[in-house]
Amino acid sequence: MDLSSINPILLLASLMVAATPIMLAAIGELVVERSGVLNLGVEGMMITGAVCGFIVSVSTGSPWLGFIGAAIGGAMLASLFGFLTQYLLSNQVATGLALTLFGLGLSALMGQGYIGIKSPSFPDWHIPLLGDIPVIGPIVFQHDPMVYVGLLIVLAVWAFLKFSRAGLILRAVGENHDAAHALGYKVKRVRMLAIMFGGACAGLGGAYLSLVRVPQWTEGMTAGAGWIALAIVVFASWKPGRLLLGAYLFGGVTVLQLNLQAAGMAIPVEYLSMSPYLATIVVLVIMRAGRAPGSLGRIFHASR
Amino acid sequence: MMKSLLTGATFALGLTTAAFAQDETTKIGFIYVGPVGDGGWTYEHNQGRLAVEEHFGDAVETVFVESVPEGPDAERVMTQMALDGADLIFSTSFGFMDPTINVAGKFPDVKFEHATGYKQADNVSVYSARFYEGRAVQGHIAGQMTESNVIGYIASFPIPEVIRGINAAYLQAKAVNPDVEFKIVWAYTWFDPAKEAEAATVLIEQGADVILQHTDSTAPQAAAQAAGNVATFGQASDMAEFGPYPRVSSIIDNWSPYYIARTQAVIDGTWESTSTWDGIAPGMVGIGDITDAVPAEIKASAEAMIESIRSGDMHPFTGPINKQDGSVWLADGETASDYGDDGLAGMNFYVEGIVGDVPQ
């Protein structure tokens, strides 16, 4: 066993990268669920974002435009879910699952001509002065821009839900849509906007995989990341701060166990491999679980 | 009344014609563990399916289901295929073994072909490729190309096929470079590009300058390309888009001849349960182009090794070889047997020199 081969600075830096796609998808789904909608189509929206982002990035030569394309692609797929569940009143669970299957198939079709193509690289930012701080600099301030965009989105969502009037309305709709409707709030409009925001974030998470973390387009490349994101939302008790902790915990332990394996750690590989899931469950048990939004998953009938 | 009779007769005739047409067409199902666009394992199995379609034309109809998890889902998918009239079903991953046996028991008239497994039945054949022959060649090249003397290996699941590959690569790398060290990461997945890329990055950060993989996506190739000074090998498919560097060669699974032959046997009514385990010589295992990024003398010695494996002059597992615990596995000059105690088919141990335990 040679633990000296593990560079703790690189380990902590890669933790942030590993957590970013899950964090982006999860923060979008958190907003959706706080509005009272359960969208199980995160995986489908992520993979659609991955392929849209890749196609736009390759076509334009700009990773930034790729991420914008991914957000639009994810939001468009989410709006389909929104239309079906909010206006045609279809079952949210069934529609979400269908969205995942649809997204996987659609992305495979769209990405057919893009297998084996290299996307434009997204260089790491070396933030002046901050990036030069010993230890902390390489860990926190030398990443690609999307790591910081992800953190900003989490911060913005936290502030939006906690301090803004619009955030209060969104939470009210999620807690009791009938009461919110009685007060004159447009429940369907609020939920549609939340759903589209969730889709855009999932798209960004998917594009992070195809443009930064892997970086290439491969069919089915999200490989369950969307389901992890859904679990992280519940783990976080629908709170953005806890969500950040959950994503970093899961991403961090995943990276750590791979490092420990490579270093020849004397812990059986089976235990190391299940450690990200185990750690998440243990922390969830220790932390006091929050209550789900009151109207989560319930269909809203304006006529009632 | 007459109109109703005519309509009924036409409908019945249509059904009869359809039934006869169906009898003439052999329906073949394929069940895949990954997506057909994975660029590796499933991609090559799908190339085999396409070769069957091209070879037989309208005489066959093929169907496939991709990204099927190993376990109960596989059983459901195969059951549905059998109910839908499949005459022959190829289940193309080790973890489909028990589901294949279970479904085959319920459909004795349907023929099943299971890849990389070892359980047979009257209507279940098994087939695999001697991938370890290709791994031996990769180890031979890797051992000479590494400058850090650290070779990274991304393993999928601790099954004999994967363990054989690790051992074969290590033995040949060690033979040409006694200082070589293998760092093995078990990903516990066949296909997860993000995790595979992460595993490759971890190995590179820990000093590996050559990466071997037994997972199915091209993500480790992309990670090596980003690192810039790390050599890789294509897995299951050529992955030539990453050549000439980092991808310096590859193992290519060529399933097409086998799939065509087995389909022909079903059509002819000569199909019977068999066990096939072919390697470089019959062409089931191909070695992808060794690029010019490999120094000429290393390339020449690798090509000589390929030829000696093809001719049967060399077996990658030829003694003296000890097990990891130091006990003798193969005496001097002895070659490993395929089956039986300590045979290759059930290999569940590392050879001497590899650090770490085989996951149980």
Side-chain angles (χ1 to χ4, degrees), chain A residues 74-86 88 90 95 99 102 192 195-196:
Chain A
M76 282 175 68
L77 199 63
S79 65
L80 175 63
F81 169 87
F83 175 71
L84 290 168
T85 58
Q86 301 310 302
L88 301 185
S90 68
T95 309
L99 193 73
F102 178 67
M192 275 301 290
I195 288 165
M196 288 176 74

Side-chain angles (χ1 to χ4, degrees), chain A residues 123-146:
Chain A
D124 287 350
W125 275 3
H126 184 111
I127 298 172
L129 299 176
L130 294 173
D132 298 321
I133 300 169
V135 183
I136 294 169
I139 293 170
V140 182
F141 300 113
Q142 291 183 18
H143 291 290
D144 61 89
M146 283 309 294

Side-chain angles (χ1 to χ4, degrees), chain B residues 324-336:
Chain B
Q324 190 183 40
D325 61 9
S327 62
V328 175
W329 175 40
L330 298 172
D332 196 359
E334 183 188 359
T335 58

Side-chain angles (χ1 to χ4, degrees), chain B residues 81-95:
Chain B
M81 276 184 179
L83 289 170
D84 289 344
D87 301 295
L88 172 63
I89 295 173
F90 290 94
S91 56
T92 64
S93 188
F94 180 83

Side-chain angles (χ1 to χ4, degrees), chain A:
Chain A
M1 181 175 70
D2 180 22
L3 290 179
S4 64
S5 64
I6 300 175
N7 183 331
I9 293 172
L10 286 175
L11 175 67
L12 290 167
S14 54
L15 174 162
M16 293 185 75
V17 174
T20 297
I22 297 168
M23 182 179 74
L24 282 163
I27 195 66
E29 179 61 15
L30 182 140
V31 171
V32 176
E33 293 192 18
R34 287 298 288 265
S35 77
V37 177
L38 178 63
N39 185 354
L40 297 182
V42 179
E43 180 86 354
M45 296 183 297
M46 272 188 94
I47 193 89
T48 303
V51 75
C52 289
F54 194 84
I55 290 168
V56 172
S57 183
V58 167
S59 304
T60 63
S62 165
W64 282 112
L65 288 175
F67 276 104
I68 292 166
I72 292 167
M76 282 175 68
L77 199 63
S79 65
L80 175 63
F81 169 87
F83 175 71
L84 290 168
T85 58
Q86 301 310 302
Y87 294 97
L88 301 185
L89 306 181
S90 68
N91 180 283
Q92 289 178 17
V93 172
T95 309
L97 292 171
L99 193 73
T100 284
L101 296 172
F102 178 67
L104 288 165
L106 179 68
S107 64
L109 182 67
M110 288 171 69
Q112 214 112 81
Y114 291 87
I115 294 167
I117 293 175
K118 197 176 185 306
S119 71
S121 60
F122 210 176
D124 287 350
W125 275 3
H126 184 111
I127 298 172
L129 299 176
L130 294 173
D132 298 321
I133 300 169
V135 183
I136 294 169
I139 293 170
V140 182
F141 300 113
Q142 291 183 18
H143 291 290
D144 61 89
M146 283 309 294
V147 168
Y148 308 112
V149 170
L151 290 168
L152 280 172
I153 290 171
V154 173
L155 188 67
V157 166
W158 170 76
F160 170 79
L161 291 173
K162 194 167 177 68
F163 301 117
S164 74
R165 184 171 181 274
L168 184 64
I169 292 167
L170 182 128
R171 285 188 288 141
V173 165
E175 283 301 331
N176 190 327
H177 51 217
D178 293 321
H181 176 64
L183 289 170
Y185 296 122
K186 307 268 189 243
V187 173
K188 288 181 180 179
R189 186 188 296 170
V190 169
R191 286 184 170 174
M192 275 301 290
L193 289 169
I195 288 165
M196 288 176 74
F197 174 78
C201 286
L204 289 174
Y208 192 81
L209 290 173
S210 65
L211 296 177
V212 179
R213 193 164 172 216
V214 175
Q216 61 180 17
W217 164 249
T218 307
E219 192 181 314
M221 69 182 299
T222 46
W227 298 107
I228 299 294
L230 274 160
I232 294 286
V233 174
V234 180
F235 167 91
S237 303
W238 297 270
K239 294 182 176 75
R242 281 192 184 187
L243 183 140
L244 197 62
L245 169 71
Y248 275 53
L249 175 71
F250 188 86
V253 180
T254 300
V255 171
L256 178 64
Q257 69 93 3
L258 290 171
N259 270 277
L260 291 174
Q261 275 197 57
M265 184 72 170
I267 300 169
V269 171
E270 306 91 299
Y271 297 140
L272 287 173
S273 201
M274 68 182 179
S275 59
Y277 307 93
L278 206 58
T280 309
I281 292 165
V282 167
V283 174
L284 183 57
V285 169
I286 293 166
M287 282 166 45
R288 190 169 56 83
R291 190 178 59 80
S295 293
L296 183 61
R298 283 170 49 207
I299 292 172
F300 170 67
H301 297 272
S303 56
R304 280 186 184 172

Side-chain angles (χ1 to χ4, degrees), chain B residues 211-228:
Chain B
I211 301 282
L212 279 71
Q213 65 177 100
H214 203 137
T215 50
D216 299 343
S217 90
T218 54
Q221 314 282 328
Q225 194 170 54

